[in-house]
């Protein structure tokens, strides 16, 4: 199992996206969007519809920058955006692409 994972959801139509990152040093964190960004957002990630925390959508340009930083740093948490911790409900762990490996 990987020790860190970056999940990315993007809306081409709205030009926004959301990121979720899991790693032992930070736990589960999600991108911090504007206070007025959408809530109840779900993206198709790793074959599953996955809900992201409320107010986690950011401009697509920042999504791209964060993904590039993640890749160029060898998998470290990107510093170009703000992050906030989040929890997933135990009832959806099997359906959640990051739930299975984040606690191991």
């Amino acid at each position: 199992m990987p020790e860190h994972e970056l999940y990315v959801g993007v809306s081409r139509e709205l030009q926004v996206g959301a990121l979720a990152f899991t790693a032992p040093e930070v736990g589960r964190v999600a991108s911090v969007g504007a206070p007025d960004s959408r809530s109840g957002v779900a993206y198709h990630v790793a074959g599953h519809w996955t809900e992201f925390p409320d107010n986690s959508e950011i401009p697509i340009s920042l999504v791209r920058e964060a993904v590039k930083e993640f890749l160029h740093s060898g998998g470290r948490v990107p510093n170009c955006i703000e992050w906030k911790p989040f929890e997933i409900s135990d009832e959806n762990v099997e359906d959640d692409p990051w739930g299975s490996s984040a606690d191991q």
Side-chain angles (χ1 to χ4, degrees), residues 87-101:
E87 300 290 327
I88 59 167
S89 67
D90 291 338
E91 64 194 41
N92 295 325
V93 168
E94 287 185 25
D95 295 332
D96 188 349
W98 55 74
S100 61
S101 63

Side-chain angles (χ1 to χ4, degrees), residues 18 26 37-38 43 51 100:
V26 294
S37 63
R38 298 185 306 158
Y43 289 104
E51 281 191 38
S100 61

Side-chain angles (χ1 to χ4, degrees), residues 28-64:
R28 287 185 191 96
V29 292
S31 49
V32 174
D36 61 344
S37 63
R38 298 185 306 158
S39 59
V41 175
Y43 289 104
H44 198 251
V45 177
H48 303 275
W49 281 103
T50 303
E51 281 191 38
F52 282 74
D54 292 348
N55 304 322
S56 61
E57 287 186 308
I58 58 176
I60 202 164
S61 59
L62 284 176
V63 172
R64 287 186 189 115

Side-chain angles (χ1 to χ4, degrees), residues 3-7 19-31 70 75-79 81-87 102-104:
E3 70 175 41
H4 61 275
E5 299 172 335
L6 177 67
Y7 290 90
L19 301 166
F21 184 81
T22 62
E25 64 272 15
V26 294
R28 287 185 191 96
V29 292
S31 49
F70 173 78
R76 293 190 187 100
V77 63
N79 291 317
I81 64 171
E82 288 184 62
W83 297 94
K84 61 183 173 185
F86 75 98
E87 300 290 327
D103 292 330
Q104 296 182 12

